[in-house]
């Protein structure tokens, strides 16, 4: 029996940075990249092997609400947003999704509008299941 290749990654953004509307967040602070699907220069996952994948995103904003989107190719799959509590402390939010991918499909996280995302807790994780 042939075992499938393992594919899994976790990466963060490298610094506190302003992203404009529909800009891809650059998850280039690589923690794990088994199977090499996450591109270390642009922070986008390029599917190396077809299958079912689980993706998780956590975003953090310091003083404002922030919205991001998980995209499969150029189509939004789910929103990720932080909740305002009226203070200037960090706000975070997360979401996850399971999607079927073909070889070469791209999964990215885009800013919904202009937001500053904090590197302490803005991470992107994916794994083939």
């Amino acid at each position: 029996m042939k075992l499938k290749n393992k594919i899994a990654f976790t990466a963060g953004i490298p610094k506190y940075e302003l992203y404009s509307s529909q800009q891809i967040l650059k998850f280039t602070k690589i923690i794990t990249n088994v199977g090499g699907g996450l591109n270390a220069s642009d922070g986008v996952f390029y599917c190396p092997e077809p299958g079912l994948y689980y993706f998780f995103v956590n975003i953090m904003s310091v003083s404002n609400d922030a919205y991001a989107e998980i995209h499969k190719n150029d189509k939004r799959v789910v929103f990720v947003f932080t909740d305002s509590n009226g203070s200037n402390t960090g706000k975070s939010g997360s979401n996850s999704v399971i999607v079927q991918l073909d070889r070469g499909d791209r999964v990215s996280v885009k800013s919904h509008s202009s937001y500053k995302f904090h590197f302490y807790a803005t991470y992107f994780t994916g794994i083939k299941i």
Side-chain angles (χ1 to χ4, degrees):
M1 173 187 355
K2 183 181 176 190
L3 294 176
K4 300 267 183 183
N5 294 328
K6 293 184 181 183
I7 300 168
F9 71 88
T10 294
I13 60 172
K15 60 184 176 179
Y16 184 56
E17 185 172 359
L18 177 66
Y19 286 87
S20 60
S21 179
Q22 294 304 302
Q23 183 179 0
I24 294 173
L25 275 68
K26 293 185 179 177
F27 291 96
T28 58
K29 183 178 161 189
I30 307 295
I31 296 170
T32 303
N33 193 13
V34 176
L38 186 69
N39 185 308
S41 64
D42 65 6
V44 174
F45 177 76
Y46 295 89
C47 182
E49 182 177 294
L52 200 57
Y53 287 79
Y54 169 83
F55 294 98
F56 173 84
V57 173
N58 192 80
I59 59 173
M60 181 179 183
S61 170
V62 173
S63 61
N64 297 49
D65 291 343
Y67 296 82
E69 306 165 352
I70 298 174
H71 282 244
K72 175 184 172 184
N73 297 319
D74 293 319
K75 184 178 179 186
R76 181 183 63 234
V77 181
V78 295
F79 274 109
V80 183
F81 62 94
T82 63
D83 189 18
S84 176
N85 63 9
S87 70
N88 284 333
T89 59
K91 297 167 182 61
S92 65
S94 60
N95 205 349
S96 60
V97 65
I98 296 173
V99 293
Q100 181 72 38
L101 297 179
D102 292 320
R103 184 182 317 277
D105 281 344
R106 299 174 324 278
V107 178
S108 60
V109 180
K110 293 183 179 182
S111 178
H112 182 66
S113 293
S114 291
Y115 299 108
K116 271 193 167 181
F117 293 95
H118 205 293
F119 67 95
Y120 284 147
T122 300
Y123 287 90
F124 183 28
T125 294
I127 188 167
K128 184 172 187 224
I129 53 176

